[in-house]
Amino acid sequence: MADPRTEAFAQTAKTIINQLERHGMEGYFCETSADAVELVRKLVPEGASVAWGGTATFAQTGVKAMLKAGNYRMIDRSVAKTPEEAEAIYQQHFASDCFFMSTNAITRKGELVNIDGNSNRLACLLYGPREVYVLAGMNKVVEDVDAGIKRIHTMACPPNAARLHTGTPCERTGVCGNCHEDGCMCCNIVVTRHNRHTGRIKVILIAEDLGY
């Protein structure tokens, strides 16, 4: 590990992982996305059912491609042809063996900070799937919860709004308008500070800039 940036990330990740473990969550650090792919390959048993929320990181890392090519049952909402089929697939997410997501921010104290619109992603984080895998680039690390919410409003919501064409102020102006519009992505704010079901939530920190 010769890169000073990676070395610094490793030390920060170590601090966060220690906090996660105190809070009932497992933590891992990977220098690269390729390392994260191999870690997931070891952690997820063959034959497991796999679902995922809205996450760019899942695809960017190569984890999604690895799982799709392997012996896993992928619960893919993108194959739905009608709203009714999509809803049925959403319901299957809650019974999945492994649910993959990223986090909008993670604090140095090991708190996950997330904002969501439809909130299916957050619902599965909170309850349902047997295991939840949180893939997060080190660009998601913030000092505290307030900094996490600020990061989401300034760094995550505008590009996500542009990607999803929400029609919200953050798409039109690039700045959060604290809106209540139909396409609002900030319907629910969830801070995961502790997990009573030890080991259910597994956070994989990756020394790369990933996601939004």
Side-chain angles (χ1 to χ4, degrees):
M1 191 189 300
D3 180 13
R5 184 169 180 265
T6 304
E7 290 182 4
F9 282 158
Q11 293 303 316
T12 301
K14 182 178 179 180
T15 298
I16 294 171
I17 289 167
N18 286 337
Q19 293 293 330
L20 287 169
E21 290 175 352
R22 291 179 59 199
H23 303 160
M25 293 177 268
E26 292 181 12
Y28 302 86
F29 175 70
C30 295
E31 292 187 25
T32 67
S33 288
D35 293 336
V37 168
E38 293 309 309
L39 175 61
V40 170
R41 196 193 306 273
K42 292 176 183 177
L43 292 174
V44 177
E46 288 194 2
S49 58
V50 175
W52 57 95
T55 164
T57 303
F58 187 47
Q60 288 174 349
T61 54
V63 171
K64 181 179 181 180
M66 180 274 290
L67 292 170
K68 287 186 72 174
N71 182 25
Y72 307 96
R73 184 169 70 85
M74 306 297 280
I75 306 173
D76 188 353
R77 62 182 176 176
S78 71
V79 303
K81 295 181 174 59
T82 66
E84 291 75 19
E85 287 183 5
E87 178 60 27
I89 292 173
Y90 277 130
Q91 293 299 323
Q92 292 178 44
H93 285 191
F94 290 101
S96 63
D97 295 317
C98 304
F99 182 80
F100 282 83
M101 58 178 286
S102 188
T103 185
N104 296 130
I106 180 169
T107 73
R108 296 182 188 275
K109 293 182 179 179
E111 301 154 313
L112 307 178
V113 186
N114 285 284
I115 286 177
D116 212 342
N118 287 329
S119 300
N120 57 294
R121 176 177 63 106
L122 297 187
C124 286
L125 168 63
L126 298 177
Y127 184 81
R130 182 170 56 83
E131 295 182 335
V132 177
Y133 290 82
V134 180
L135 305 171
M138 291 297 289
N139 54 307
K140 301 291 187 71
V141 174
V142 295
E143 184 61 30
D144 54 28
V145 171
D146 287 343
I149 294 173
K150 183 176 181 180
R151 181 197 180 275
I152 296 165
H153 286 158
T154 58
M155 301 297 294
C157 284
N160 269 316
R163 177 173 64 92
L164 298 171
H165 302 295
T166 59
T168 52
C170 55
E171 180 187 10
R172 297 193 301 267
T173 69
V175 178
C176 176
N178 195 30
C179 76
H180 289 275
E181 299 194 16
D182 290 342
C184 177
M185 296 185 295
C186 302
C187 297
N188 290 290
I189 300 173
V190 170
V191 177
T192 305
R193 57 178 296 276
H194 195 91
N195 171 45
R196 294 198 309 185
H197 306 285
T198 303
R200 177 177 177 267
I201 298 175
K202 306 177 192 300
V203 179
I204 301 174
L205 297 168
I206 305 164
E208 296 176 359
D209 288 349
L210 296 165
Y212 298 103

